Amino acid sequence: MRAPITVQFSRPLAIAALAVTSAVCGAAPAAAHTVKPGTPAAAHPVKPGTPAPGKPTPGPPRAGAARKEPPANMSTAGGEQLGRPGPQTGAGAPALPPDLSALSWMVSDADTGQVLAASNAHWPLPPASTLKMLFADAVLPAVPGTASHKVEPAELTGMGDGSSAVGIVPGQTYQGADLWRGVFLRSGNDAVHVLASMNGGVAKTVADMQAKADGLGAKDTQVRSPDGYDAEGQVSSAYDLTLFLRSGLTNKDFKEYCSTADAMFPGGPNTKGKPFGISNTNRMLSGIDGVSKYPGLIGGKNGYTTHAGNTLAEAATRDGHTVLVTVMNPQENRRDKVYAETRALLDWGFKAIAAHAPSIGTLDLAKPSSSSKSPGTAAASTDSSGSLGVLGWTGVGAAAVVGVGAVYVVLKRRPVRGRRRG
């Protein structure tokens, strides 16, 4: 498969061009479009050296990577077994997949709320762009897809160096749905910052996200930025990210956006107003760059930064059951490793449900888990249940990518690599 065209930009030129761009760009509203069969997907513009989604730089371990041992006293929210270090399953559960290298992971039944297996589920780690799920949980109700907004240059300031971007053009008017597709498909920090402005500003949005996390019982999460870009003290956990995905899937818009593999994004001056197609950076959903699509995948959110490594949360459905898997920071430095481990854990989850494997905890914190009543061992049988019969397969929506005005444009046939992104 031909690699998507990548539009790169020079950050200094882009910043210098903001004022000029806002003066010359039109303000006509941009409408959503449907991707035509065979339409090439154009990737988002990024600073040269920014890593392609899910692609750590080959070579020695990353500088500033998280320590390799979990904290001594992890939370036991959802069940006592979830606070233990290392892999945890119930008695009689199928054998776990081999070669799991992630610092933290968790497998859950979305419908019952049962946690089927985990490793260091409550280890607070940098979440990268998987934190955008919490951003959507908190902001989608306030900024729906029907909203319309003209972007001001100031709204695109304050993004971290090397941030991923969908290509928002100052002075142009966007529909909320376009911006949300920019968040979910291209992990665009520029789209996040515009939506945060529409929500009352970055500071308010961070506070809203923290309040939402607290309300869901996600006590491992500390929010410092709305887009997941590395920030001092910003952490989440496999348990909390699973809560964010499960909560999001109860919102039809969240579910549509996270399940959209390909879409169109409104064009700007650089494209003479013509929309451009993009593919979702979640490669298990889009099937790009050597990763095959996962059967029955609903979707979720992927992320990568130098400090966080690769992170991924996915939901998939099979035989009337929905499994959630979250994987944080695989240690094998292979660009598709996070997808390989997530795929193996999804397969394991469906096998465990078919085998009626006992749970080791619950996502429904208001309901007691028997795993919190009896310590047992890693193989001890536990039982917990909840209810959320709201998940299942969803259709794809529309979304997209565009060129940016007043920037240095370079067309490439391969994604770029580098050190950090949101």
Side-chain angles (χ1 to χ4, degrees), residues 342-364:
T342 300
R343 184 182 300 270
L345 288 169
L346 283 169
D347 287 344
W348 182 91
F350 288 115
K351 187 185 299 185
I353 290 175
H356 303 288
S359 71
I360 62 168
T362 181
L363 298 174
D364 294 307

Side-chain angles (χ1 to χ4, degrees), residues 212-234:
K212 182 66 176 181
D214 294 343
L216 290 172
K219 301 300 184 182
D220 302 322
T221 298
Q222 295 297 319
V223 184
R224 300 290 184 267
S225 71
D227 49 31
Y229 191 90
D230 287 338
E232 185 68 30
Q234 180 158 273

